[in-house]
Amino acid sequence: MIYFRNDYSEGAHPKVLQALVETNLVSTPGYGCDEYCACARELLRERFACPNADVHFLVGGTQTNLTAAAAFLRPWEAVIAADTGHIAVHETGAIEATGHKVYVVPGVDGKLAPDAIRTAVRDHQTGTEEHMVLPRMVYVSDSTELGTIYTRAELQALSDTCRELGLYLYLDGARMAMALTAQGNDLVPEDFAQLCDAFYLGGTKNALLFGEALVIVNNALKPHFRNVMKQHGGMLAKGRLLGVQFAAILQDDLWLQTARHANELAQRLAAALTAMGVPLYAASPTNQVFPIFTNAQVEALRQNFSFEFIARVDENHSAIRFVTSWATRPEDVDALICAVRSL
């Protein structure tokens, strides 16, 4: 079985594992108060050009998103997200479980637009605000659930809209590295610190065993975040394991090299599928590919390949998802292309 199910099925990049081995017997303070986390924080502040940001390390993306929402929002405040947003469809109501509604609006190719945000805010300004949740934070991801990316102009427009309306802009960067290395991207790491109130750099889906680095830029969101982390089970006792991994992947921009590899193989697959006349459910320039096959073809592919079902297109056709990672081998992509061709 060849896996194209996700980008976290494998373990960690050898350089990350080596760093863990080399520090395995080092004793440090717990809960992220160690020298390795301190080093990783400084590397992140430098790489994203935000010297005054607070940086916190958490284990996974859902944990990061729900902890951020719990810390940043008052009990009556809500999050605006696209209808395909990860927090809306793939986190089992984690944010709602913290007491904050996710207000879903239509997205375009997985992305939010300023007009959708304005409409959401207007819908809650009816003169009876005390009876409704009030939008306070906008959630976006780059890349999106459909593998699409934001341009700098698009993210700037979202940022301007949020600041005009008094909303926080929070960016889920589970696949930020893939977005930054995708063809057509014009964002640089520094842009996220300039345009967002908070964002996180994902490691789980990009060559770490686990881990996400949350960067809080807005001073108003910084106080007592560690208290909320602890309350929501996000404070890892062996916190140094997160710092060691991030320090290793940030060296020499290894995090971008691993993402570029994943993107290149995915785009090679997408080009081959397109050349064979296979339609795509979404045009993704990153490491997720969304082909549409007949249901019989999907079942045939399942015999030798692992992937995810995305949507029923019609009675006879389904959209599925192939995902490449830092560890995907070119020969596995070739095998998949050959299998599709044989269909």
Side-chain angles (χ1 to χ4, degrees):
M1 183 67 67
I2 300 176
Y3 278 77
F4 289 96
R5 180 169 291 275
N6 55 54
D7 37 18
Y8 48 87
S9 287
E10 298 88 1
H13 190 280
K15 289 186 177 180
V16 173
L17 287 179
Q18 184 60 34
L20 288 168
V21 170
E22 290 174 354
T23 59
N24 188 50
L25 297 179
V26 177
S27 295
T28 67
Y31 306 107
C33 299
D34 59 273
E35 61 188 273
Y36 302 107
C37 286
C39 174
R41 288 188 184 97
E42 286 307 310
L43 290 172
L44 282 158
R45 292 183 182 116
E46 180 180 355
R47 190 65 182 86
F48 287 86
C50 49
N52 299 316
D54 281 3
V55 179
H56 302 279
F57 299 107
L58 296 100
V59 173
T62 297
Q63 181 187 69
T64 304
N65 290 333
L66 74 88
T67 306
F72 299 163
L73 302 179
R74 301 297 297 274
W76 57 86
E77 293 176 335
V79 185
I80 300 171
D83 50 8
T84 54
H86 200 272
I87 61 171
V89 296
H90 286 129
E91 294 187 353
T92 323
I95 286 181
E96 283 90 347
T98 70
H100 299 285
K101 182 179 179 64
V102 176
Y103 189 80
V104 174
V105 299
V108 179
D109 295 329
K111 297 189 285 185
L112 267 184
D115 285 347
I117 296 173
R118 292 183 185 280
T119 299
V121 171
R122 187 171 60 248
D123 287 347
H124 289 78
Q125 293 176 338
T126 64
T128 58
E129 288 89 344
E130 69 270 19
H131 297 287
M132 307 172 71
V133 296
L134 299 180
R136 181 62 166 164
M137 186 166 79
V138 170
Y139 167 95
V140 296
S141 60
D142 197 26
S143 62
T144 71
E145 290 303 293
L146 295 181
T148 52
I149 61 174
Y150 284 91
T151 64
R152 193 186 192 286
E154 289 171 334
L155 194 60
Q156 179 73 65
L158 290 177
S159 179
D160 292 344
T161 302
C162 288
R163 288 170 182 174
E164 174 192 340
L165 299 175
L167 307 175
Y168 302 130
L169 180 58
Y170 171 77
L171 188 138
D172 178 327
R175 294 189 174 99
M176 178 188 289
M178 288 71 164
L180 287 170
T181 53
Q183 185 175 4
N185 171 68
D186 62 352
L187 284 163
V188 295
E190 295 85 347
D191 290 328
F192 295 108
Q194 179 183 345
L195 300 176
C196 302
D197 294 285
F199 63 90
Y200 80 83
L201 172 63
T204 301
K205 294 178 179 176
N206 188 30
L208 300 192
L209 288 176
F210 51 83
E212 326 297 328
L214 177 66
V215 181
I216 304 177
V217 181
N218 187 332
N219 290 333
L221 303 180
K222 295 176 182 179
H224 301 293
F225 190 85
R226 281 175 60 83
N227 298 78
V228 181
M229 282 179 63
K230 182 66 176 181
Q231 188 179 69
H232 287 79
M235 194 173 286
L236 184 64
K238 297 183 180 181
R240 68 179 179 85
L241 299 179
L242 293 162
V244 168
Q245 292 185 82
F246 270 102
I249 202 73
L250 288 164
Q251 292 292 335
D252 301 318
D253 274 345
L254 179 59
W255 64 292
L256 295 176
Q257 297 173 37
T258 51
R260 189 173 292 111
H261 172 84
N263 284 348
E264 288 174 351
L265 288 183
Q267 294 312 301
R268 177 172 157 186
L269 172 61
L273 293 174
T274 300
M276 286 185 274
V278 177
L280 299 178
Y281 184 74
S284 163
T286 55
N287 67 319
Q288 301 180 79
V289 183
F290 301 88
I292 298 172
F293 293 109
T294 67
N295 297 334
Q297 290 171 330
V298 170
E299 292 309 310
L301 288 170
R302 285 192 193 281
Q303 303 308 306
N304 296 299
F305 301 94
S306 179
F307 49 84
E308 287 191 354
F309 170 85
I310 295 299
R312 186 78 63 192
V313 175
D314 58 37
E315 184 177 348
N316 298 312
H317 295 82
S318 298
I320 61 175
R321 184 185 74 162
F322 296 127
V323 187
T324 54
S325 80
W326 67 274
T328 300
R329 303 181 305 171
E331 53 265 39
D332 290 339
V333 173
D334 291 341
L336 177 55
I337 293 171
C338 183
V340 172
R341 186 174 289 119
S342 72
L343 295 177

